[in-house]
Amino acid sequence: MLYLYNSLSRKKEIFKPVKDKRVRMYTCGPTVYAYAHLGNLRTYLAEDLLKRALIFNGYQVKQVMNITDVGHLVSDADSGEDKIELAAKKEKKTSFEIADFYTEYFFSALKKLNIIFPEITAKATEHIKDYINYIKLLEEKGFTYFTSDGIYFDTSKLKDYGKLTGQSFKDLSKNLKAGARIEFSSEKKNITDFALWKFSPQNVKREMEWDSPWGKGFPGWHIECAVISLKYLGNCFQNGKFYPEKFETIDIHCGGIDHIPIHHTNEIAEVESLTKKPMARFWFHVNFLVLKETRMGKSEGNALLIEDIEKNTFSPLAFRYLSLTTHYRMPLEFSFESLKGAENSLREIYNFIENCLWEKKFLKNKQNKAFSLKKYSKDFEEAINNDLNTPQALSVLWNLISRYNKVKKDQKKISQLSPSAVYQLLLSFDKVLGLDFKKIKLPKIKKEVQSMVKERENLRKQKKWQAADNYREKIKEKGYLVEDTIFGPRVTKINE
Ligand code: AMP
Ligand code: ZN
């Protein structure tokens, strides 16, 4: 039974798909105006973990992710420049070039981190007609109004606007005004109202603008996710039209915690006003990656990239390991020291796996009789199914490794070990962890080195220790290490 924390109810709940064994999962994608940084990637790693945990539990997952290539403005108050257009000006490129470039970069980052690619990725600019159709429906039902700079959503028309934040409409408005978090345009009826369609500024030719029944302009950021999720996951889109009455609540909607107060709150308003059904059954939010307690961000100017990790000779998967050491709902503090710790741990696990592969040549038991593996498998599953408790799941994995290594030291019990069963269990853990255990293979050892190892063994049998040691050095020069074990000499490649 999978328990997941639901931001909407603010408690852990048993997860069950709305329909059958199929899970419809929406993930808010990146705004492609700059390189996706490690903070962004922490969120996508946690969402990948969720997807893997669902698959681990026997569900089929259809994941949709949008790519925000227009409409995300510098200010959350629907003012300021479009982030993509601003980047285009700075980099002297077209907005489309900027978006394409950073989208490709983002995809390559997902690949490096072994993140399962979403079943559907949808560019915001390729759904303009759909937003217009949907805004028309909102207009027909009286949820919209005109201002001089766009079509706005009237948030006072919803009984429970702001429910994701746990605040009433009144309190939310009061707090927003008090905190002056966003400036309040005088034409807006309520401080919480937001743009569905923004008009292009007069006398300024925007690169990204489209005709609409209301005037030339571009979509607001929130309508993009609302419409894309409905179109691909809501089972209410046919022949180019939305049928809100047919909408089926989506299973999970994901994003970073910064999306709760504005972006997701507004998506809910757009969808629930017409469908009269909950937009998503579960709301899944990931806490921030922080640098010395400050959120990592593009605007904060402290963004680190995967390339910064690689430059420091760490592997991207060490970052994945690091992200698993902290629960996704807690802030994760990034430092190169902690990344180094993660890299060392990961190498140790890889080494253990290689060891299992080698030892299974000598210990051919199908089952591990030295101790029960069931307990480890059950404990791991319990940890994951308890709201993706990865620190706990990793500790189960480490306990398994140390138990195995301990038994190996006991001459009487060693023959009861099954390296093959342990290896298989680790592979099953990795379906959730995504650390690419499968890539670990026994090294191919050059013929020349194999004969040197044999020769060294002969010398050892003849107790010619000095000569044998000289061979060890020669083997090392060829890039291999020899370790003497109870099963004979084990050869590993240096730096692998
Ligand atoms: P953006 O490209 O700004 O739209 O953000 C893409 C995703 O990254 C969103 O889900 C954000 O919530 C998330 N995000 C942004 N900064 C951080 C951070 N420092 N830590 C974790 N997630 C973040
Ligand atoms: Zn979104």
Side-chain angles (χ1 to χ4, degrees):
M1 202 115 69
L2 172 62
Y3 281 82
L4 275 186
Y5 182 84
N6 187 353
S7 309
L8 188 61
S9 63
R10 278 166 282 280
K11 55 178 195 260
K12 280 189 215 169
E13 295 176 39
I14 295 175
F15 175 80
K16 251 187 166 178
V18 173
K19 223 173 150 185
D20 314 324
K21 285 290 259 179
R22 268 173 292 183
V23 179
R24 289 165 296 136
M25 170 175 168
Y26 186 83
T27 34
C28 284
T31 309
V32 282
Y33 69 105
Y35 293 109
H37 56 69
L38 298 181
N40 302 133
L41 294 170
R42 186 215 179 174
T43 288
Y44 296 108
L45 277 168
E47 292 164 353
D48 183 58
L49 169 73
L50 168 64
K51 182 174 183 177
R52 286 169 177 272
L54 289 163
I55 298 170
F56 187 70
N57 275 277
Y59 297 118
Q60 243 180 303
V61 182
K62 179 176 174 188
Q63 183 195 5
V64 175
M65 183 189 286
N66 70 304
I67 301 292
T68 303
D69 53 359
V70 69
H72 197 163
L73 303 187
V74 171
S75 156
D76 279 337
D78 295 312
S79 59
E81 278 191 88
D82 186 308
K83 292 187 179 192
I84 310 259
E85 287 213 334
L86 192 62
K89 271 186 213 158
K90 273 193 198 149
E91 295 192 32
K92 298 196 170 48
K93 288 183 181 161
T94 68
S95 298
F96 294 95
E97 282 168 345
I98 289 286
D100 278 354
F101 177 79
Y102 290 114
T103 303
E104 280 313 308
Y105 175 82
F106 173 70
F107 289 161
S108 74
L110 296 187
K111 204 164 167 209
K112 282 185 181 176
L113 291 169
N114 204 22
I115 289 176
I116 304 172
F117 213 72
E119 279 60 35
I120 294 178
T121 52
K123 284 186 185 178
T125 46
E126 289 174 357
H127 296 79
I128 303 294
K129 242 200 225 156
D130 300 324
Y131 312 135
I132 293 175
N133 284 343
Y134 196 81
I135 297 168
K136 275 196 209 157
L137 295 179
L138 286 169
E139 195 175 37
E140 278 166 26
K141 298 281 175 196
F143 286 103
T144 65
Y145 62 92
F146 259 86
T147 74
S148 58
D149 78 340
I151 305 293
Y152 277 74
F153 187 98
D154 184 346
T155 52
S156 68
K157 295 256 158 108
L158 283 177
K159 265 202 322 285
D160 52 3
Y161 178 82
K163 63 181 172 184
L164 196 59
T165 65
Q167 298 175 70
S168 68
F169 180 64
K170 254 189 178 169
D171 288 343
L172 193 60
S173 306
K174 207 165 76 192
N175 292 341
L176 279 177
K177 278 180 196 154
R181 199 169 39 136
I182 57 176
E183 67 266 27
F184 188 17
S185 133
S186 58
E187 282 186 80
K188 276 204 217 175
K189 291 186 183 168
N190 310 286
I191 191 168
T192 42
D193 293 354
F194 55 91
L196 296 162
W197 185 263
K198 286 273 286 184
F199 300 135
S200 298
Q202 273 182 348
N203 311 322
V204 179
K205 169 96 187 82
R206 267 180 63 95
E207 230 185 300
M208 289 192 169
E209 61 181 6
W210 295 266
D211 286 325
S212 85
W214 313 281
K216 230 182 205 103
F218 58 99
W221 176 34
H222 321 303
I223 195 75
E224 298 174 0
C225 284
V227 163
I228 290 172
S229 65
L230 247 60
K231 178 169 180 175
Y232 295 104
L233 296 171
N235 298 334
C236 62
F237 184 82
Q238 273 161 13
N239 305 324
K241 275 187 163 174
F242 287 98
Y243 298 90
E245 65 287 356
K246 291 192 180 163
F247 172 69
E248 286 172 359
T249 296
I250 292 163
D251 292 294
I252 312 178
H253 195 113
C254 315
I257 48 167
D258 53 328
H259 284 170
I260 296 174
I262 298 175
H263 184 49
H264 286 169
T265 288
N266 292 344
E267 283 187 45
I268 290 177
E270 290 164 334
V271 171
E272 298 189 3
S273 53
L274 288 189
T275 63
K276 311 285 179 215
K277 287 183 195 143
M279 179 179 182
R281 171 76 184 83
F282 276 80
W283 287 86
F284 178 89
H285 290 108
V286 184
N287 209 320
F288 288 138
L289 181 75
V290 295
L291 273 176
K292 295 204 182 91
E293 290 172 17
T294 312
R295 168 190 173 180
M296 184 182 287
K298 295 166 201 167
S299 356
E300 283 74 3
N302 59 2
L304 286 170
L305 309 181
I306 290 202
E307 286 68 22
D308 294 309
I309 289 182
E310 291 173 319
K311 247 192 323 222
N312 283 284
T313 69
F314 296 116
S315 60
L317 287 184
F319 180 62
R320 185 170 183 121
Y321 184 94
L322 181 67
S323 80
L324 295 168
T325 59
T326 301
H327 192 266
Y328 75 90
R329 282 195 285 119
M330 301 296 284
L332 168 62
E333 194 169 328
F334 180 85
S335 68
F336 279 102
E337 291 83 78
S338 55
L339 187 63
K340 188 162 190 227
E343 176 89 37
N344 290 341
S345 302
L346 190 57
R347 280 183 185 273
E348 212 177 302
I349 298 173
Y350 285 168
N351 190 35
F352 178 81
I353 292 172
E354 196 183 313
N355 199 52
C356 284
L357 290 174
W358 187 69
E359 285 175 357
K360 84 190 170 97
K361 290 186 187 179
F362 310 97
L363 296 169
K364 305 222 182 248
N365 297 325
K366 283 216 169 81
Q367 274 183 3
N368 197 63
K369 291 178 194 137
F371 56 91
S372 162
L373 292 184
K374 265 201 190 126
K375 182 184 144 38
Y376 292 91
S377 151
K378 191 170 149 277
D379 287 354
F380 182 86
E381 192 178 321
E382 258 174 36
I384 292 301
N385 283 354
N386 180 12
D387 192 30
L388 315 181
N389 190 340
T390 47
Q392 182 68 32
L394 285 179
S395 91
V396 174
L397 183 150
W398 283 109
N399 287 343
L400 170 63
I401 292 180
S402 66
R403 181 88 181 265
Y404 183 97
N405 285 338
K406 203 167 157 200
V407 172
K408 231 165 60 175
K409 287 190 191 128
D410 185 341
Q411 290 288 341
K412 276 182 252 149
K413 282 201 176 156
I414 196 161
S415 64
Q416 297 171 15
L417 284 172
S418 169
S420 151
V422 171
Y423 173 70
Q424 288 305 330
L425 184 60
L426 288 174
L427 287 192
S428 80
F429 290 177
D430 197 45
K431 291 219 161 99
V432 184
L433 304 174
L435 294 166
D436 210 4
F437 292 169
K438 246 191 170 158
K439 78 169 174 203
I440 305 300
K441 301 268 182 282
L442 285 178
K444 287 209 171 72
I445 297 156
K446 285 185 201 156
K447 283 231 163 83
E448 183 197 7
V449 175
Q450 282 177 17
S451 359
M452 288 165 96
V453 173
K454 259 192 199 149
E455 191 48 38
R456 180 175 167 270
E457 276 307 284
N458 286 337
L459 291 167
R460 276 164 54 83
K461 275 183 195 141
Q462 296 163 39
K463 298 198 165 41
K464 292 182 177 163
W465 308 118
Q466 187 55 49
D469 269 359
N470 291 345
Y471 259 100
R472 179 201 290 277
E473 284 311 305
K474 277 188 204 158
I475 292 167
K476 203 170 172 185
E477 280 162 24
K478 300 274 173 199
Y480 297 86
L481 285 180
V482 194
E483 183 195 344
D484 296 309
T485 78
I486 45 164
F487 303 114
R490 180 185 165 202
V491 186
T492 48
K493 255 189 178 163
I494 295 173
N495 285 338
E496 267 210 329

